[in-house]
């Protein structure tokens, strides 16, 4: 079992999963933490839209040429919070937008948006996109 969202609506599904795991004879480490949804496809699509918009505006202004992927790596290094990944008992901290939850991704998008605006770039924020809705919920 990789992830299980424990909630009033899913609690009946937990016991059969636990019984199956215990019957395997293996030992398991169990930890409980508050559930946060992973970043959404909508947030990811908006980020890549912005990467392309910024790269295009930089080229149009004659300030250099780079790809959206290069910009992504650059901004990720500046603004993406590191996440712990443990493999065979060894922990490394990596910066990946794939590992952000929706709240963290909203904060990341806000930082990218501010970075772009400070440099005179204008980014598209669709009126009904999830980013706009999450910003409103957070009081932005």
């Amino acid at each position: 079992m990789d992830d299980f969202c424990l909630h009033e609506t899913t609690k009946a599904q937990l016991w059969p999963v636990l019984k199956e795991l215990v019957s395997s004879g293996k030992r398991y480490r169990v930890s409980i933490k508050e559930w946060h949804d992973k970043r959404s496809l909508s947030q990811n699509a908006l980020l890549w839209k912005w990467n392309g918009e910024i790269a295009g505006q930089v080229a149009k202004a004659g300030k250099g040429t780079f790809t959206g992927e290069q910009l992504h790596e650059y901004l990720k290094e500046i603004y993406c919070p590191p996440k712990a990944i443990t493999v065979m008992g060894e922990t490394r901290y990596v910066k990946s937008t794939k590992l952000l939850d929706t709240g963290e991704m909203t904060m990341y998008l806000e930082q990218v948006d501010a970075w772009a605006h400070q440099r005179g770039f204008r980014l598209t924020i669709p009126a009904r996109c999830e980013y706009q809705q999450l910003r409103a919920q957070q009081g932005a």
Side-chain angles (χ1 to χ4, degrees):
M1 178 165 83
D2 194 26
D3 264 345
F4 183 86
C5 181
L6 181 60
H7 183 263
E8 185 66 32
T9 60
T10 63
K11 66 183 180 185
Q13 299 167 7
L14 181 59
W15 185 243
V17 171
L18 291 176
K19 282 184 5 185
E20 183 179 330
L21 287 171
V22 171
S23 70
S24 73
K26 296 179 183 177
R27 296 175 4 164
Y28 292 90
R29 180 180 314 272
V30 177
S31 62
I32 305 279
K33 60 183 180 178
E34 187 176 350
W35 184 269
H36 295 278
D37 288 327
K38 303 272 185 203
R39 64 129 199 231
S40 70
L41 294 176
S42 171
Q43 289 175 311
N44 189 53
L46 182 61
L47 174 63
W48 285 102
K49 178 178 184 57
W50 286 358
N51 288 341
E53 287 179 348
I54 295 169
Q57 290 176 48
V58 169
K60 189 174 181 180
K63 296 182 179 180
T65 304
F66 53 87
T67 66
E69 179 66 36
Q70 289 169 319
L71 180 67
H72 176 66
E73 293 301 320
Y74 176 81
L75 292 172
K76 184 173 67 172
E77 187 59 33
I78 297 170
Y79 298 115
C80 189
K83 296 287 189 164
I85 305 260
T86 303
V87 175
M88 297 187 309
E90 189 174 322
T91 301
R92 296 276 186 237
Y93 290 86
V94 299
K95 292 186 173 193
S96 171
T97 58
K98 286 180 185 177
L99 301 175
L100 301 180
D101 65 35
T102 53
E104 292 167 328
M105 187 65 168
T106 298
M107 288 176 39
Y108 180 74
L109 288 168
E110 287 172 345
Q111 291 172 310
V112 170
D113 189 22
W115 178 90
H117 278 81
Q118 289 169 358
R119 285 152 184 80
F121 304 122
R122 296 296 170 243
L123 303 178
T124 303
I125 302 175
R128 293 184 179 164
C129 77
E130 182 179 19
Y131 172 67
Q132 189 71 288
Q133 293 168 359
L134 290 171
R135 285 182 63 199
Q137 287 175 3
Q138 292 179 355

